[in-house]
Amino acid sequence: MKEKRPMVAIVAVASLALMYLPSAAVALFSVNNARYGLAWRGFTLQWYARLFGNRDIIEAAINSLVLAVVSTLVATILGTALAIGLRRAPWPAALLRVFDLLINLPVVVPDIIMAVALAMAFNVLRLLSSVFEMGLFTLIVGHVTFQISFVTLVVKSRLEALGQDTDEAAMDLYASRLFHFRHVTLPLILPGVLAGAMLAFTLSLDDFIISFFTHGPESVTLPIYIYASIKRGLSPEIHALSTLMLVLTTIPIIIAERLTRRF
Amino acid sequence: MGKKTKGKPGPRSGHVVWRGELTSSLALRLRAVGLAGPPLLWLTLLLAVPCLMLGALALATRGQYGEVVFSFTLENLKRLAGFGLYGWSPNFLYIILRSFWVATATTVLCVLLAYPLTFHVATRPGRTRVFWLILIIVPFWTNVVVRAYAWLLILGPQAPPARLAAALGLIRDGAALYPGPLAVYLGMVSTFLPFMALPLYASVERLNWEILEAAKDLYASRVQIFMQAILPQTRPGLSVGVIVTFVPSMAMFVVTDLLGGAKTMLIGNLIQQQFAQARDWPFGAALSLALMAMTLLCLALLRRRRRQRPGGHAEGVLSRLG
């Protein structure tokens, strides 16, 4: 059956073209020395240089990065604690089912509904405290809310794979609670925690919809910046910015691929 | 609580052996609440309660200045069904039906492209296969706004596709190929193709090719080979792919917002409008509930055939983009 099938190959290549041609065009015109039109006027890196002179873009990039780092840290700690708390302590089965539902909520609920629900929650909460005025803080809280679930799900599956033999062995050998966590549990679940953190980080950088509904005028992220500038029209600077974002998402994927192949 | 655990009751009441550790059930309970409590509280306050609040908000109405008036009416549901100020009009129902239709068409197109794509990748030799796989993973993580932006460039007024269409007399000279259904479908399919292809590939990679050979030896037609030999083997990947494509494409708002016009509006756009422009939060909430109901209905229909729960994690990762 593994014979040559030209139609299959043609559709496969066409699919790739569908996914890559538009991005390739953007990359091409990001180094074209013309502000208007699509005629080729020679190679230039001036649009990239201008990116670094644009304070709005630099600010958006910093916002995106701070948002991703902080929310990932918080979500990783909370998500891991949740996974351990659910697995390593006795809960009644009925409660566990409710918790499971809660954890799977961000997976099932469409992004736009979560975004709307969060925006509404912040609108109520800001009556209690001005901290909840739309801004970087609400962005972080919003991102953590969907990230927790993904970290928990990854760590939980790791914990389930481990079973409880190592715990019992450690306890039989009179390990203290802290020693047990530090030297038994943590090293064993660390790959899961790191994988969950990586996932949370990428989800945060990639997110548009939740950010769009929970950001303030002073806290624009890169995807929101691009979205807003589309409404003003395309420009070579945005070509360059899009290309950079594409390249930046490619690097961790290739690194992850390398790592998983080596181990 | 202690009695329901695997631990045995200890020498004194209230003591249990839990995973090799002699401890009191109170200590265990405290530990459980201490670890899982804060994140559970976070999820409850910022996710579960707001989602329930959407339900309450749907029963309210918009005040004169865009404020929320809790009047407990079914006004919003009536409006959704088309009974507005000026008599019955099916506009909102059209948008809901269109969301179903666009999601269905996107899913079908993605399936049609994903089967050849994944078969091609699965039959590549060693290193080439990894390369092809990375080629599918990269667009999976491409930001949806960046992708839509790229389509705006390539479908723009001076780009070759628009010129070709103009030369053929399909569009006016100097016009762009957006906004319109063509741009929307190109955007949707290119966004969701990796979502379909990755889970499907997991099944195609494990395909037992001997069954296909056997079917061929027995003079099965191509359709029969697909229906009898390929489809049953790839159904797990296919159904995950269908879920993670169909559900977010029904809720899509970025692609239709940037590449489509009023005629390609989906329920996601309508929700966004109510919250951002019209400041009619109660109606937006009612629309969100409608979308949620549509989502649950589809999940129930799609999952009915599958006994085991789908891999929560993989599926979750995949459903983020919408």
Side-chain angles (χ1 to χ4, degrees), chain B:
Chain B
M1 232 187 257
K3 277 189 189 135
K4 286 191 180 166
T5 69
K6 287 172 198 155
K8 301 179 199 80
R12 271 182 294 159
S13 69
H15 279 67
V16 287
V17 175
W18 172 255
R19 293 180 174 239
E21 179 189 4
L22 177 66
T23 181
S24 70
S25 59
L26 179 69
L28 267 181
R29 230 175 289 185
L30 280 178
R31 196 195 305 172
V33 172
L35 280 170
L40 284 175
L41 196 66
W42 184 301
L43 287 178
T44 308
L45 286 182
L46 288 158
L47 197 61
V49 171
C51 281
L52 293 176
M53 270 163 61
L54 272 183
L57 192 62
L59 299 175
T61 47
R62 179 186 189 273
Q64 211 172 348
Y65 309 104
E67 78 277 19
V68 173
V69 181
F70 280 98
S71 44
F72 297 100
T73 62
L74 293 176
E75 204 56 46
N76 289 313
L77 291 180
K78 270 204 224 143
R79 237 177 102 194
L80 194 61
F83 298 98
L85 283 175
Y86 314 104
W88 190 74
S89 100
N91 276 350
F92 296 133
L93 293 179
Y94 269 152
I95 290 176
I96 288 176
L97 275 181
R98 191 187 294 136
S99 304
F100 266 117
W101 164 244
V102 169
T104 310
T106 303
T107 309
V108 170
L109 289 171
C110 284
V111 171
L112 289 179
L113 291 178
Y115 263 107
L117 178 62
T118 50
F119 266 73
H120 187 72
V121 177
T123 48
R124 293 307 93 194
R127 284 188 74 90
T128 326
R129 184 161 67 220
V130 175
F131 177 69
W132 273 84
L133 203 55
I134 291 181
L135 284 181
I136 305 180
I137 298 173
V138 168
F140 179 82
W141 285 112
T142 305
N143 191 284
V144 63
V145 180
V146 172
R147 179 176 297 286
Y149 182 85
W151 280 113
L152 287 176
L153 176 71
I154 210 165
L155 297 175
Q158 267 129 40
R163 284 191 178 172
L164 183 68
L168 292 174
L170 297 172
I171 55 169
R172 188 167 53 72
D173 237 5
L177 283 169
Y178 63 85
L182 173 75
V184 168
Y185 279 114
L186 283 173
M188 293 290 267
V189 172
S190 65
T191 299
F192 288 112
L193 184 54
F195 287 62
M196 180 64 81
L198 283 177
L200 188 62
Y201 177 76
S203 286
V204 171
E205 196 187 24
R206 288 195 294 264
L207 204 65
N208 184 351
W209 291 84
E210 284 166 7
I211 296 179
L212 274 69
E213 305 245 6
K216 229 182 144 198
D217 289 346
L218 294 167
Y219 299 101
S221 69
R222 288 185 172 189
V223 177
Q224 281 174 321
I225 291 179
F226 181 80
M227 295 304 288
Q228 313 273 342
I230 298 177
L231 189 60
Q233 290 196 69
T234 50
R235 188 164 277 145
L238 181 66
S239 44
V240 173
V242 167
I243 289 176
V244 299
T245 304
F246 191 86
V247 170
S249 49
M250 207 164 51
M252 177 53 90
F253 114 87
V254 180
V255 168
T256 36
D257 186 58
L258 295 175
L259 295 167
K263 282 183 184 161
T264 50
M265 215 171 149
L266 303 184
I267 188 164
N269 303 82
L270 202 55
I271 293 175
Q272 190 258 339
Q273 264 189 12
Q274 303 310 314
F275 281 87
Q277 289 141 34
R279 305 282 312 156
D280 190 347
W281 286 41
F283 189 52
L287 288 167
S288 304
L289 284 190
L291 175 59
M292 195 66 227
M294 284 155 70
T295 304
L296 292 177
L297 180 74
C298 294
L299 283 180
L301 286 176
L302 289 167
R303 280 186 181 175
R304 208 169 51 175
R305 309 182 100 188
R306 307 168 61 208
R307 291 277 86 181
Q308 85 281 35
R309 265 196 16 199
H313 157 220
E315 191 187 345
V317 179
L318 293 161
S319 74
R320 293 304 313 169
L321 206 103

Side-chain angles (χ1 to χ4, degrees), chain A residues 1 3 20 88-90 106-107 111 116 120 123 145 150 164 167 171 177 203 206 209 227 231 235 239, chain B residues 5 18-21 31-32 42 57 135 139 141 143 149 213 216 222 257 275 281 288 299 316 319-320 322:
Chain A
M1 198 61 199
E3 78 223 45
Y20 280 93
R88 305 253 148 153
V107 179
D111 274 5
V116 163
M120 210 175 54
N123 253 291
T145 308
F150 291 91
Q164 50 174 300
D167 292 347
M171 286 304 165
R177 185 95 47 75
L203 285 172
D206 194 50
I209 295 177
Y227 178 84
K231 302 271 165 179
S235 75
H239 297 350
Chain B
T5 69
W18 172 255
R19 293 180 174 239
E21 179 189 4
R31 196 195 305 172
W42 184 301
L57 192 62
L135 284 181
W141 285 112
N143 191 284
Y149 182 85
E213 305 245 6
K216 229 182 144 198
R222 288 185 172 189
D257 186 58
F275 281 87
W281 286 41
S288 304
L299 283 180
S319 74
R320 293 304 313 169

Side-chain angles (χ1 to χ4, degrees), chain A residues 67 135-144 210-211 214-215 219 221:
Chain A
L67 167 65
L136 193 56
F137 181 75
T138 53
L139 272 177
I140 292 173
V141 173
H143 278 219
V144 170
I210 310 268
S211 307
T214 55
H215 81 284
S219 57
T221 64

